[in-house]
Amino acid sequence: MKQAGFPLGILLLFWVSYVTDFSLVLLIKGGALSGTDTYQSLVNKTFGFPGYILLSVLQFLYPFIAMISYNIIAGDTLSKVFQRIPGVDPENVFIGRHFIIGLSTVTFTLPLSLYRNIAKLGKVSLISTGLTTLILGIVMARAISLGPHIPKTEDAWVFAKPNAIQAVGVMSFAFICHHNSFLVYSSLEEPTVAKWSRLIHMSIVISVFICIFFATCGYLTFTGFTQGDLFENYCRNDDLVTFGRFCYGVTVILTYPMECFVTREVIANVFFGGNLSSVFHIVVTVMVITVATLVSLLIDCLGIVLELNGVLCATPLIFIIPSACYLKLSEEPRTHSDKIMSYVMLPIGAAVMVFGFVMAITNPQDCTHGQEMFYCFPDNFSLTNTSESHIQQTTQLSILNISIFQ
């Protein structure tokens, strides 16, 4: 919303969700037309070995970079949670983001990622979905209680902003699940295109409304001060948000194995003929997670990670490749609705990739990782036990800080 402009951002969110829905169904239709059961084999049959290699690189990079972003989120959010424990020194190395990333990797994400069957993560995904609902409730509550006390930026309500293409990249990152679509499709009981279509329509509708509520409540609260990681905007002494941070950290830790499954499958298909022995299954999993963990320890700004992964990996996986495969495989007339939509998606996807990458490099998001926002000073007030007069006084001081900040 911050990058696109709030009104245009809402419209783009609906548009990206519709394109995602369409391309997810198109992808499985392409698999049915070609008699293939993986994304890689579909592209290999459609475009040969060069297309297979290109897709394999994209299909590995997207979940791999997602794993890095999940580690960054876990480290950022859970470190602030542990700092709120009474008597704990905020500078203690055992509650620092580096230690938390390492600990969560060893105790949770690595053991969960060692499963061979993705269906076993069903209960974990259910817990993650429930926690997402709790987090949304907290963000909505703070939009009501905190939002009126944070000054709005001058360009908060303009219809569109120049960085809208970067916003499409972030939205693509949010919605994409094409890289593990065939894994999920094969886990269905009696999988059919019709059953998959119903599942996708329902999932996308739920997802887009959750995203809209998150985006709207977050942006209405912080407008132009919104960070790439929304929880970086809240003050550290807000106990309700601290609980939200805990739920958020747990959610991304539980989502992490889904991405690891895909990276391992790509490696298995490219280098091991699609099958990994028990030993190589463990070795590949440990190597992928180790590298992702080391990279996430070196990077602490989430916004640029989301943008680049969105425009370089998510965009071709959503817009370009499913459309190109369907156009080559389908014998429907050119006037068929699926083909018309595919012809439209190809140039749009290419434009988002090129311009999105250039803008992400030349106009990177500001990142205030680990810093308290200016409106949290000088008193770092807590809305859970603060008088109205104190809030007014702190707001006046915050407005003074804005003039200094600008």
Side-chain angles (χ1 to χ4, degrees):
M1 299 303 107
K2 174 186 173 182
Q3 297 288 73
F6 183 67
L8 179 61
I10 294 294
L11 295 177
L12 286 175
L13 203 53
F14 276 112
W15 177 70
V16 172
S17 68
Y18 172 75
V19 170
T20 302
D21 181 286
F22 174 80
S23 60
L24 282 168
V25 176
L26 204 66
L27 195 61
I28 300 302
K29 285 182 178 179
L33 289 171
S34 61
T36 55
D37 57 0
T38 69
Y39 203 165
Q40 289 167 287
S41 59
L42 166 62
V43 175
N44 189 27
K45 189 162 186 177
T46 308
F47 294 105
F49 187 71
Y52 172 79
I53 293 299
L54 175 61
L55 176 75
S56 296
V57 171
L58 292 173
Q59 202 174 6
F60 175 84
L61 283 178
Y62 172 79
F64 181 75
I65 298 175
M67 290 163 64
I68 294 171
S69 68
Y70 292 159
N71 274 338
I72 293 173
I73 292 170
D76 286 348
T77 56
L78 293 180
S79 62
K80 293 181 177 63
V81 171
F82 295 135
Q83 287 172 7
R84 291 291 294 155
I85 299 175
V88 173
D89 182 4
E91 301 301 322
N92 191 319
V93 67
F94 294 110
I95 61 170
R97 66 183 299 271
H98 294 83
F99 181 79
I100 289 173
I101 290 173
L103 181 64
S104 64
T105 298
V106 172
T107 55
F108 293 105
T109 55
L110 177 58
L112 288 173
S113 298
L114 286 172
Y115 280 122
R116 298 185 74 100
N117 185 356
I118 199 170
K120 291 185 177 181
L121 295 177
K123 293 181 179 179
V124 172
S125 297
L126 181 61
I127 295 171
S128 181
T129 304
L131 291 176
T132 301
T133 306
L134 279 176
I135 298 166
L136 177 58
I138 291 170
V139 171
M140 293 173 68
R142 280 296 174 255
I144 297 171
S145 59
L146 179 61
H149 305 290
I150 297 179
K152 310 307 177 190
T153 51
E154 291 183 1
D155 62 347
W157 313 119
V158 298
F159 180 81
K161 294 181 182 179
N163 295 339
I165 291 182
Q166 289 171 265
V168 173
V170 175
M171 293 173 188
S172 299
F173 177 93
F175 278 97
I176 184 174
C177 51
H178 300 60
H179 55 298
N180 54 28
S181 295
F182 281 97
L183 282 172
V184 177
Y185 177 74
S186 62
S187 72
L188 297 177
E189 294 182 6
E190 300 179 4
T192 63
V193 174
K195 181 184 288 187
W196 174 256
S197 298
R198 290 194 299 271
L199 174 66
I200 290 303
H201 297 333
M202 180 176 64
S203 299
I204 292 296
V205 167
I206 294 172
S207 297
V208 72
F209 279 104
I210 289 176
C211 284
I212 285 175
F213 281 126
F214 264 119
T216 300
C217 294
Y219 185 78
L220 291 180
T221 307
F222 302 109
T223 60
F225 303 115
T226 305
Q227 296 296 300
D229 180 351
L230 182 61
F231 274 109
E232 287 290 295
N233 279 98
Y234 295 100
C235 302
R236 294 188 185 183
N237 68 334
D238 189 329
D239 292 333
L240 180 62
V241 172
T242 297
F243 176 67
R245 287 191 176 105
F246 174 76
C247 294
Y248 189 32
V250 173
T251 297
V252 296
I253 288 173
L254 297 180
T255 307
Y256 185 104
M258 290 282 289
E259 309 300 349
C260 186
F261 265 75
V262 181
T263 59
R264 188 174 59 225
E265 184 196 36
V266 172
I267 292 174
N269 289 337
V270 173
F271 298 105
F272 298 94
N275 294 309
L276 289 173
S277 66
S278 297
V279 173
F280 277 106
H281 173 84
I282 295 173
V283 170
V284 170
T285 303
V286 171
M287 287 181 62
V288 169
I289 290 180
T290 299
V291 175
T293 302
L294 291 175
V295 174
S296 61
L297 293 174
L298 300 174
I299 301 174
D300 61 5
C301 195
L302 185 63
I304 187 66
V305 175
L306 299 183
E307 287 184 8
L308 289 177
N309 203 17
V311 297
L312 293 180
C313 299
T315 299
L317 289 172
I318 292 177
F319 290 83
I320 298 174
I321 298 176
S323 300
C325 289
Y326 183 77
L327 288 173
K328 190 166 184 179
L329 292 170
S330 176
E331 297 180 357
E332 298 286 351
R334 291 187 176 183
T335 54
H336 190 275
S337 59
D338 286 349
K339 280 202 168 182
I340 293 175
M341 184 64 181
S342 297
Y343 281 121
V344 172
M345 286 169 58
L346 283 173
I348 292 177
V352 170
M353 274 191 69
V354 174
F355 292 108
F357 175 73
V358 172
M359 295 182 71
I361 297 299
T362 57
N363 300 293
Q365 288 191 35
D366 295 330
C367 188
T368 58
H369 165 74
Q371 301 178 20
E372 283 276 65
M373 300 298 289
F374 66 90
Y375 44 76
C376 296
F377 295 102
D379 296 326
N380 272 7
F381 65 94
S382 172
L383 292 175
T384 55
N385 49 15
T386 307
S387 67
E388 182 177 352
S389 61
H390 183 76
I391 291 176
Q392 292 173 348
Q393 179 186 9
T394 308
T395 304
Q396 291 169 359
L397 289 167
S398 298
I399 293 172
L400 176 61
N401 285 338
I402 291 176
S403 61
I404 298 171
F405 181 80
Q406 291 176 339

